[in-house]
Amino acid sequence: MHKFKYLYFLLSIGAWALSHGALAANAPRFELDKAWPRLPENFRFGDVSSIAIDAQDNVWVLHRPRTLQGEAAKQAAPAIVIFDNAGNYLRSWGGDAKSGEGFEWPQREHGIHIDYKGYVWIGGNNCVGRDLPGRKPVSDDQLLKFTQDGKFVMQIGKAFTSKGNADTVNLQQPADVWVHAKTNEIFVADGYGNHRVAVFDADSGKFKRLWGAFGDKPLDNFACPPPSLKAVPDGAGPDQFSIVHAIRVANDGMVYVADRENRRVQVFTAEGKFLRQYIRHNAPFARNVALSPDAEQKYLYVGGGIDIVILDRKSLKFVDVIGGGGLLGGGHQIATDAKGNIYVAQTNRGLQKLVYKGMGPVSAK
């Protein structure tokens, strides 16, 4: 029965792909590594929120220790756990124990990024009104920068102080960040409370610019979090971002923004000029984005409900889907390493590694 259901899924997505202009005979192929990773027996993960890759292809996992309750909470790993590429545990640090050292650790860990200089960036998305256990009733309106051994470097913004989308000092529940090496700027998917991209100097934290959906001015809407849409209306979708959930900046300076609840990826220049978008009106989409590691960064990976969609990065044309084979879903956040492998943070379902197996025939054609 399961085989028939999956065959029906492939046929359905194939028909959808043809209607969206699939343009490749071959696509990246992946296989689930079921043994990855190997967490020490005395540690447990809470909800796994995000994953980042450093220059040595080590994998940095950000999870939410506060989501563990009762006896399980006693075995909670520190908020950041680092593995080598094979899945062997290396070390861990971070969490509430570090608060009070001149910075405010987020109440609800959300995004992690390792920049081209090796610095570690952390953001959170706690907001007043969620009433989640173990968290203070404050909004995570800050972004933290550390060395790889956990030494505090800088904080942009301050918890529970955001004045909205026009604020150039504070963020409001930033979901994800990416540092662009060419300009040394940090691009922030800001995020759950705000509905914008905000750009800062990665060394000084000085504000540079901001924009909203289609490159327009973002408007305030303090719903926490914004409501989910059962379907996105036909056409280009809403004029404003909903949850700006993930962001990547390609080597050529193109900025890819996952507008999760509006089920679309929008593309901008580094200055914020809107170029194009890709939208799936009737299926969960744009939960995350990641770039393939080849020199051209040919492919854009975008997580949805049950799959990860492969797009041609420059044209945003559909190429294929990654699904089945034990994949738990499109993930919360995803990352790629230098070998082309994909790592999927699945929140309360853990995390997975998809091993790149080279190019092969598309499955959805």
Side-chain angles (χ1 to χ4, degrees):
M1 186 64 179
H2 292 293
K3 290 182 179 179
F4 288 114
K5 285 183 177 180
Y6 186 58
L7 177 60
Y8 176 76
F9 161 72
L10 289 180
L11 291 172
S12 299
I13 200 70
W16 174 86
L18 288 173
S19 69
H20 282 68
L23 51 67
N26 291 292
R29 304 262 53 89
F30 298 89
E31 182 178 286
L32 181 66
D33 182 349
K34 296 180 180 179
W36 196 97
R38 290 174 285 280
L39 190 66
E41 291 184 4
N42 60 318
F43 276 167
R44 289 192 63 173
F45 278 135
D47 290 355
V48 179
S49 182
S50 187
I51 295 175
I53 312 298
D54 67 21
Q56 290 72 45
D57 255 5
N58 294 320
V59 183
W60 294 59
V61 177
L62 179 70
H63 79 113
R64 298 167 178 165
R66 298 182 193 88
T67 59
L68 293 170
Q69 302 295 310
E71 289 298 312
K74 298 177 182 179
Q75 291 186 298
I80 298 172
V81 183
I82 304 118
F83 300 91
D84 66 17
N85 199 260
N88 299 305
Y89 171 81
L90 297 177
R91 63 190 188 280
S92 55
W93 56 269
D96 277 344
K98 291 187 67 64
S99 293
E101 298 179 17
F103 61 88
E104 299 162 296
W105 188 266
Q107 291 296 299
R108 192 171 193 255
E109 295 86 351
H110 197 280
I112 183 170
H113 171 58
I114 313 293
D115 71 23
Y116 72 104
K117 293 181 179 180
Y119 290 108
V120 183
W121 296 84
I122 304 291
N125 75 323
N126 197 59
C127 65
V128 177
R130 276 184 167 172
D131 298 324
L132 297 170
R135 297 163 179 83
K136 298 176 182 177
V138 299
S139 178
D140 288 328
D141 298 343
Q142 73 277 22
L143 189 64
L144 303 177
K145 181 181 182 180
F146 297 93
T147 64
Q148 291 194 14
D149 60 2
K151 181 181 178 181
F152 172 64
V153 176
M154 180 173 66
Q155 177 169 317
I156 299 174
K158 186 174 176 58
F160 211 25
T161 56
S162 173
K163 297 177 178 63
N165 282 282
D167 194 335
T168 60
V169 176
N170 303 288
L171 302 159
Q172 191 170 188
Q173 304 152 47
D176 194 26
V177 303
W178 193 265
V179 176
H180 184 42
K182 185 176 181 180
T183 60
N184 193 46
E185 292 175 327
I186 184 161
F187 291 72
V188 185
D190 183 35
Y192 274 76
N194 287 332
H195 310 293
R196 65 181 186 173
V197 173
V199 185
F200 301 84
D201 181 86
D203 288 339
S204 67
K206 180 181 178 181
F207 171 80
K208 305 291 285 290
R209 58 193 175 278
L210 63 86
W211 67 84
F214 301 101
D216 296 333
K217 179 181 178 180
L219 302 177
D220 288 336
N221 174 5
F222 292 104
C224 177
S228 298
L229 298 177
K230 292 182 179 179
V232 176
D234 291 341
D239 293 336
Q240 294 287 318
F241 283 136
S242 181
I243 296 178
V244 191
H245 200 253
I247 193 164
R248 294 291 184 271
V249 185
N251 295 335
D252 60 11
M254 296 299 98
V255 182
Y256 297 83
V257 179
D259 185 11
R260 190 181 76 180
E261 304 310 308
N262 291 332
R263 301 178 179 182
R264 63 190 177 188
V265 174
Q266 293 199 335
V267 188
F268 303 87
T269 67
E271 294 301 316
K273 179 183 177 181
F274 173 74
L275 297 176
R276 64 186 67 89
Q277 72 170 11
Y278 187 91
I279 187 168
R280 290 176 86 177
H281 293 88
N282 297 313
F285 186 59
R287 293 182 172 179
N288 46 62
V289 289
L291 300 160
S292 63
D294 53 286
E296 290 183 75
Q297 297 180 306
K298 181 175 176 59
Y299 299 108
L300 186 72
Y301 302 113
V302 187
I306 60 173
D307 56 31
I308 297 172
V309 174
I310 306 173
L311 301 177
D312 179 84
R313 178 179 70 85
K314 291 186 178 179
S315 68
L316 282 196
K317 291 288 188 179
F318 176 88
V319 175
D320 202 4
V321 293
I322 306 166
L327 181 68
L328 294 175
H332 183 253
Q333 297 286 6
I334 60 176
T336 51
D337 66 18
K339 298 176 182 177
N341 305 315
I342 300 176
Y343 300 84
V344 188
Q346 301 277 12
T347 55
N348 60 6
R349 290 177 286 177
L351 68 163
Q352 294 184 301
K353 177 180 180 179
L354 301 175
V355 179
Y356 176 63
K357 306 299 287 187
M359 300 293 289
V362 299
S363 62
K365 196 169 181 180

